[in-house]
Amino acid sequence: MFDKRNIRIYYLKTLERIRSFLLSRNSREFLIFLFFVFVSFCFWLLQVLNDDYETEFSIPLRLKNVPSDVVLTSELPDELRIGVKDRGTVLANYMLGQTFYPIVVDFKDYEDKGSRVRIPVSALMKKISVQLNQTTKLLTIRPDTVEFIYTKGKAKKVPVKLQGKVALDRQYYISDIIYSPDSVMVYAPQEILDTITAAYTQALNFEDVADTIRRRVNLADVRGAKFIPSFDDVTLLVDIYAEKSVEVPIRGINFPPDKVLRTFPSKVQVTFQVGLSHFKSTSEDFFIGVTYESLLNNKGEKCPVNLKSIPRYVNHVRLNPKEVDYLIEQRIKFND
């Protein structure tokens, strides 16, 4: 371990070695060479900086005096990119020393221009030029079109809808999509507001999905419109298919009071695919009906059967049998 005395001795020895090296003949010649290299570099730099160059700078852009009842549905860009030309020394001063102040646009100056306000480039050039050196040429301004869109209280509520592609794993399906919130407010000028019927999410892309997905998704931008909130919590409920069969009775529809339908068999086996969350589905969830009119027009010996009502959560429904024997019976009335 070093104590304070040993550290002091080591420091003095190191300092003496550096001093001896700097006072040596070879060292002096090397330092003189570096000095002339530095002087040459300075002359070269001054000559280079005296030439004209083109470059770009960014200037912040701000909008002020926006009334409280105004909703900006398309805001100004955060900054402007300006292309300038001048001597290198001036451009170096812009890069190293000068700070550009924000270009401020007063909302009151354009309040009577309608809901879509386009700011003339000439007005921006005038505000930028006062911050530039007299020798600096302003070449370009990007973006070349600067505008903002606003509305005063014009809004409506629209539903949220999913946009994108969801590829499910085998035997899986989307049992439900839950949006939170299920609708949002959209603010826009009336001509834009009339064209918006829903707020779509930004495109989602999922592959081989086999479990429930929860995502916070931003809503897709619509130029000139603003959604509040601008995002939505989307839940994709994923379930797995299972096969099930139930027996459903055949019922007559629109039969006269004095007639009744008899079918053989009286029930049809309905086989279908259903998610595990709805596996308790019963025969009462289905309805098989045969209309009196269809039997009057039926030219065959058997009656075709069709499902008149099925739950929305079942798929790949099959009937067995698809045709049945039938008989239209006359009801017997007994007089009191």
Side-chain angles (χ1 to χ4, degrees):
M1 298 290 292
F2 288 108
D3 56 18
K4 292 183 178 179
R5 183 171 176 276
N6 290 336
I7 293 175
R8 184 171 181 275
I9 293 173
Y10 179 78
Y11 170 74
L12 292 175
K13 287 182 178 180
T14 303
L15 192 63
E16 182 63 27
R17 289 174 183 172
I18 295 173
R19 181 173 175 275
S20 298
F21 172 75
L22 293 177
L23 293 178
S24 65
R25 180 178 178 181
N26 291 336
S27 176
R28 288 199 302 271
E29 291 177 353
F30 178 70
L31 292 175
I32 292 172
F33 171 75
L34 286 181
F35 172 76
F36 282 106
V37 169
F38 176 74
V39 172
S40 300
F41 173 76
C42 291
F43 279 112
W44 172 82
L45 185 62
L46 288 175
Q47 185 176 0
V48 169
L49 291 178
N50 202 42
D51 294 335
D52 287 346
Y53 296 95
E54 295 181 9
T55 188
E56 278 193 350
F57 297 102
S58 61
I59 299 182
L61 184 63
R62 302 288 183 266
L63 182 64
K64 70 173 184 178
N65 293 329
V66 180
S68 58
D69 62 336
V70 167
V71 177
L72 293 175
T73 57
S74 177
E75 301 186 13
L76 290 174
D78 293 331
E79 64 179 22
L80 296 173
R81 297 289 300 178
I82 61 169
V84 296
K85 181 179 180 180
D86 207 333
R87 287 180 293 110
T89 51
V90 178
L91 298 180
N93 179 55
Y94 290 144
M95 288 186 283
L96 302 176
Q98 182 171 337
T99 301
F100 291 106
Y101 295 105
I103 302 300
V104 179
V105 176
D106 195 335
F107 181 87
K108 293 181 179 178
D109 295 340
Y110 302 95
E111 196 168 6
D112 57 348
K113 304 296 184 182
S115 59
R116 185 187 293 267
V117 177
R118 179 167 295 182
I119 302 172
V121 175
S122 58
L124 296 174
M125 293 182 66
K126 188 180 297 184
K127 292 177 180 289
I128 295 170
S129 297
V130 298
Q131 299 192 52
L132 300 178
N133 193 292
Q134 291 184 352
T135 60
T136 303
K137 294 181 180 179
L138 182 58
L139 303 177
T140 60
I141 297 178
R142 292 190 296 114
D144 54 4
T145 301
V146 179
E147 65 177 11
F148 63 91
I149 303 173
Y150 70 92
T151 181
K152 289 187 176 181
K154 289 182 171 30
K156 68 178 181 181
K157 183 178 285 190
V158 293
V160 178
K161 291 187 178 181
L162 183 66
Q163 181 177 226
K165 178 184 178 182
V166 181
L168 298 167
D169 205 352
R170 292 186 61 185
Q171 295 296 317
Y172 287 88
Y173 75 105
I174 297 176
S175 61
D176 198 4
I177 302 177
I178 300 174
Y179 302 96
S180 181
D182 60 358
S183 57
V184 296
M185 295 298 296
V186 54
Y187 294 83
Q190 192 62 55
E191 63 273 15
I192 298 177
L193 199 63
D194 292 340
T195 65
I196 300 175
T197 58
Y200 291 92
T201 66
Q202 291 184 350
L204 297 176
N205 190 11
F206 297 106
E207 299 289 340
D208 301 326
V209 176
D211 199 1
T212 295
I213 297 175
R214 295 178 178 85
R215 290 287 188 277
R216 172 162 288 188
V217 188
N218 291 328
L219 299 179
D221 292 333
V222 175
R223 182 170 177 77
K226 183 174 185 178
F227 296 101
I228 298 180
S230 61
F231 60 87
D232 200 87
D233 294 321
V234 180
T235 302
L236 301 178
L237 298 179
V238 178
D239 203 353
I240 188 170
Y241 278 122
E243 191 165 271
K244 185 176 182 179
S245 296
V246 295
E247 288 192 336
V248 181
I250 302 173
R251 305 185 186 278
I253 303 174
N254 297 332
F255 273 72
D258 60 339
K259 297 188 185 313
V260 63
L261 174 66
R262 304 290 184 189
T263 63
F264 309 96
S266 62
K267 294 182 178 181
V268 173
Q269 186 181 61
V270 180
T271 304
F272 53 91
Q273 287 186 340
V274 64
L276 293 180
S277 59
H278 296 285
F279 196 74
K280 294 182 180 180
S281 301
T282 65
S283 60
E284 296 178 356
D285 297 323
F286 300 84
F287 182 79
I288 296 178
V290 179
T291 64
Y292 181 69
E293 294 81 2
S294 66
L295 293 180
L296 293 179
N297 297 323
N298 183 33
K299 297 180 181 180
E301 295 181 358
K302 292 181 177 289
C303 166
V305 292
N306 296 293
L307 279 166
K308 299 295 185 181
S309 175
I310 62 174
R312 63 177 179 82
Y313 46 79
V314 302
N315 286 281
H316 302 98
V317 181
R318 305 188 302 277
L319 302 180
N320 185 33
K322 296 181 179 180
E323 294 182 331
V324 295
D325 295 315
Y326 69 97
L327 180 65
I328 300 177
E329 288 187 351
Q330 182 75 34
R331 289 182 184 272
I332 300 176
K333 289 188 177 182
F334 297 93
N335 295 324
D336 295 336

